[in-house]
C-alpha cells in the first residue's frame, strides 16, 4: 500500500472510518448515559462511566496494538482488533447488569486498536506536511462520523432502546472487518517480532519521552482532548438538568459541536497546503487559548443554552485544529518505530482525556460550570506547555 492509496475515495473513507471507530463508540452512547443508568436502577451520574471506562481502557489497549502491529504487521492487527471490538459490542448489547455492561465496555475499549493502527499506516507511507494533511483529512471524516453518531444514538433511543446502540456498533465493526479482509494491504514491510517485549518497550519509551519534539506536541494534544472529554462525559446530563434538553434531542445539539470540529480540521488541512506544520500547530494552540478565555468567561454568569453551547462549540473547533497537527508533529521523531510511537501517543492522549472526563464528572455540581472550568484548565495548560517548551522542541 502506497501513499497514493489515500487518494482513493473508498480507501480514505475506510481509513477515516477506522480512525473514527472509537470516537463513534463514545459519542453514539452520549444521549443514553442517563437512560442506561436508570434502566439498571443506578444513579444517573454512574452513566458517565460508559465514557470514562471506555477512554481508560482504550488508552491502555493502544499500547498493545501499536506494539503488535510493529511486530506482526498492521493488517493482522487491524483484523484481530475489529473482531474483538465487534464481539465486545455484541456482549454490551446483551448485558444483563450494569456491572457486566461496564466490564464489556472496558473490553470494547481495549480491543479498539483501529485508530492507532490507522495512524501508524499513515506514517508508514508519508511524513511531515503530507502526513499532517492526510491526518487532517481523516480527522475531517472522523468529525463527520461523530457529527451523526449522537443523532443516530438519539434516533435508536426513540425507535428501539439503548441496546440497539451497541448492535449498531457491532454492525459497523462487521462492515469495517469485511473491507479490511478484502481490500487492505500491508504497509509495514519490516516486521519486528522482537519488539513485542519489555526489553524493547522500556528503552524505546524512555527514548521517545526524552525527546521534546515528541513529548510536547503529544501532551499539548492530550490536554486539548482533556477539555473536549469534559463535554463527552457530562454534556448530556448537564444540558438535561440545566437546560431541559432531552436525551433524544441531545444528539442534534452535539452535532453542532461535531460540525465545529469538522470546520477546524478542514481549515487546518487548507493551511497545511502552504504553511509548515510547525507553524500551523502554533497557530492552532493560539486559537485554543482564545477558546479557553471564552470558556473562562462562562464562569462569571449563568449563560443561556445558546451562549453556553456556542462556547463549547468554539472550544471543540480549537480542539479540531490542535489534534491532527499535534499527532503529525509527535510522529516525526518516531524513526523506525511508528507503530509504538502512535500507540504511546494514543495511550497518553486518551489517558489525559480520561482525566478530563473524570474531573468534569467530579466538578459537576448541578450548575453549568463543570464543562467550561475543565475546558479552561486543560486549554490554558496546553498553551503554557507550548510557550515554555517551544524552544526545546527544536533542539537536535
Amino acid at each position: 500500500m502506497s501513499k497514493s492509496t489515500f487518494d482513493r475515495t473508498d480507501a480514505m473513507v475506510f481509513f477515516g472510518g477506522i480512525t473514527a471507530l472509537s470516537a463513534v463508540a463514545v459519542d453514539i452512547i452520549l444521549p443514553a448515559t442517563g437512560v442506561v443508568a436508570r434502566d439498571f436502577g443506578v444513579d444517573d451520574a454512574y452513566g458517565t462511566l460508559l465514557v470514562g471506562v471506555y477512554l481508560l481502557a482504550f488508552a491502555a489497549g493502544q499500547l498493545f496494538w501499536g506494539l503488535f502491529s510493529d511486530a506482526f504487521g498492521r493488517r493482522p492487527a487491524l483484523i484481530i482488533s475489529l473482531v474483538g471490538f465487534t464481539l465486545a459490542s455484541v456482549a454490551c448489547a446483551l448485558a444483563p447488569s450494569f456491572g457486566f455492561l461496564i466490564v464489556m465496555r472496558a473490553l470494547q475499549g481495549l480491543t479498539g486498536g483501529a485508530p492507532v493502527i490507522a495512524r501508524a499506516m499513515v506514517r508508514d507511507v508519508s511524513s511531515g506536511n503530507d502526513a499532517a494533511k492526510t491526518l487532517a483529512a481523516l480527522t475531517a471524516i472522523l468529525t463527520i462520523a461523530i457529527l451523526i453518531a449522537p443523532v443516530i444514538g438519539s434516533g435508536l433511543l426513540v425507535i428501539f432502546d439503548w441496546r440497539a446502540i451497541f448492535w449498531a456498533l457491532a454492525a459497523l465493526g462487521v462492515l469495517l472487518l469485511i473491507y479490511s479482509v478484502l481490500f487492505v494491504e500491508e504497509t509495514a514491510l519490516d516486521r519486528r517480532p522482537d519488539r513485542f517485549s519489555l526489553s524493547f518497550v522500556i528503552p524505546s519509551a524512555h527514548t521517545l519521552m526524552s525527546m521534546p519534539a515528541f513529548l510536547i506536541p503529544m501532551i499539548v494534544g492530550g490536554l486539548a482532548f482533556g477539555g473536549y472529554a469534559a463535554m463527552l462525559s457530562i454534556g448530556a446530563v448537564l444540558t438535561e438538568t440545566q437546560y431541559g434538553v432531552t436525551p433524544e434531542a441531545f444528539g442534534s445539539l452535539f452535532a453542532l459541536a461535531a460540525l465545529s470540529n469538522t470546520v477546524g480540521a478542514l481549515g487546518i488541512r487548507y493551511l497545511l497546503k502552504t504553511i509548515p506544520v510547525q507553524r500551523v500547530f502554533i497557530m492552532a494552540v493560539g486559537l485554543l487559548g482564545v477558546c479557553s478565555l471564552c470558556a473562562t468567561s462562562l464562569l462569571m454568569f449563568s449563560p443561556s443554552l445558546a451562549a453556553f453551547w456556542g462556547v463549547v462549540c468554539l472550544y471543540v473547533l480549537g480542539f479540531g485544529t490542535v489534534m491532527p497537527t499535534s499527532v503529525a508533529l509527535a510522529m516525526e521523531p518516531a524513526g523506525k518505530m511508528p507503530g509504538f510511537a502512535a500507540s504511546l501517543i494514543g495511550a497518553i492522549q486518551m489517558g489525559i482525556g480520561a482525566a478530563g472526563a473524570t474531573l468534569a464528572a467530579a466538578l459537576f455540581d448541578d450548575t453549568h460550570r463543570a464543562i467550561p472550568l475543565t475546558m479552561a484548565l486543560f486549554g490554558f495548560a496546553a498553551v503554557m506547555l507550548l510557550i515554555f517548551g517551544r524552544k526545546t522542541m527544536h533542539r537536535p
Side-chain angles (χ1 to χ4, degrees):
M1 183 175 288
S2 63
K3 181 183 178 297
S4 61
T5 299
F6 291 98
D7 296 328
R8 286 182 11 222
T9 301
D10 65 311
M12 185 61 78
V13 170
F14 167 77
F15 279 101
I18 61 173
T19 300
L21 185 58
S22 280
V24 169
V26 170
D27 296 341
I28 198 172
I29 198 67
L30 295 181
T33 53
V35 175
V36 173
R38 290 191 290 270
D39 191 47
F40 285 113
V42 300
D43 190 89
D44 282 12
Y46 286 103
T48 62
L49 290 174
L50 292 167
V51 175
V53 165
Y54 185 96
L55 291 177
L56 284 172
F58 179 58
Q62 287 189 88
L63 288 173
F64 170 85
W65 293 111
L67 285 171
F68 189 90
S69 70
D70 271 352
F72 304 110
R74 313 287 186 228
R75 186 174 181 274
L78 180 60
I79 290 172
I80 295 171
S81 170
L82 289 172
V83 169
F85 179 89
T86 302
L87 293 176
S89 299
V90 171
C92 287
L94 299 173
S97 67
F98 187 73
F100 182 86
L101 175 60
I102 293 301
V103 172
M104 290 301 102
R105 184 69 166 160
L107 181 61
Q108 195 182 39
L110 285 171
T111 54
V116 70
I117 297 169
R119 288 198 295 269
M121 295 177 85
V122 171
R123 184 60 179 81
D124 285 337
V125 299
S126 60
S127 62
N129 270 43
D130 286 337
K133 284 189 287 186
T134 300
L135 288 169
L138 296 181
T139 300
I141 296 171
L142 180 154
T143 53
I144 291 171
I146 64 177
L147 179 76
I148 62 175
V151 177
I152 293 173
S154 295
L156 291 172
L157 278 178
V158 172
I159 300 172
F160 303 105
D161 62 13
W162 63 265
R163 294 180 187 273
I165 292 174
F166 290 105
W167 285 118
L169 288 174
L172 177 60
V174 169
L175 289 175
L176 294 173
L177 180 60
I178 291 172
Y179 188 98
S180 300
V181 171
L182 295 179
F183 301 111
V184 172
E185 301 173 8
E186 183 59 65
T187 60
L189 302 180
D190 182 22
R191 301 187 185 185
R192 298 289 301 273
D194 56 298
R195 294 184 175 182
F196 203 59
S197 66
L198 288 177
S199 62
F200 169 79
V201 170
I202 294 175
S204 297
H206 181 269
T207 297
L208 288 171
M209 297 293 283
S210 65
M211 293 190 293
F214 173 83
L215 186 64
I216 291 172
M218 173 185 65
I219 295 180
V220 167
L223 289 168
F225 182 62
Y228 174 70
M231 186 264 290
L232 297 180
S233 175
I234 63 171
V237 174
L238 188 152
T239 54
E240 183 178 7
T241 58
Q242 294 301 302
Y243 298 106
V245 178
T246 65
E248 292 78 13
F250 179 75
S252 299
L253 192 64
F254 182 84
L256 296 174
L259 182 61
S260 300
N261 200 344
T262 303
V263 171
L266 290 176
I268 284 298
R269 181 171 170 80
Y270 176 79
L271 292 176
L272 287 166
K273 293 179 180 179
T274 56
I275 304 175
V277 63
Q278 293 86 351
R279 288 181 58 193
V280 175
F281 176 63
I282 293 170
M283 294 164 62
V285 177
L287 174 61
L288 186 72
V290 174
C291 301
S292 300
L293 280 173
C294 294
T296 302
S297 71
L298 290 183
L299 302 176
M300 302 174 186
F301 64 100
S302 296
S304 64
L305 176 61
F308 173 77
W309 204 253
V311 171
V312 168
C313 289
L314 183 62
Y315 183 95
V316 174
L317 185 147
F319 164 71
T321 65
V322 171
M323 202 62 173
T325 50
S326 72
V327 172
L329 274 182
M331 288 291 287
E332 280 298 293
K336 295 183 178 180
M337 48 181 173
F340 177 64
S343 67
L344 192 59
I345 292 169
I348 291 177
Q349 289 186 337
M350 288 302 109
I352 297 173
T358 302
L359 178 62
L363 290 174
F364 183 50
D365 58 355
D366 291 327
T367 72
H368 73 283
R369 292 183 175 84
I371 288 178
L373 178 56
T374 306
M375 286 180 168
L377 290 173
F378 279 79
F380 285 135
V383 173
M384 291 298 102
L385 177 59
L386 181 61
I387 290 174
F388 290 107
R390 181 181 171 188
K391 291 183 179 179
T392 62
M393 285 176 60
H394 305 296
R395 289 177 184 171

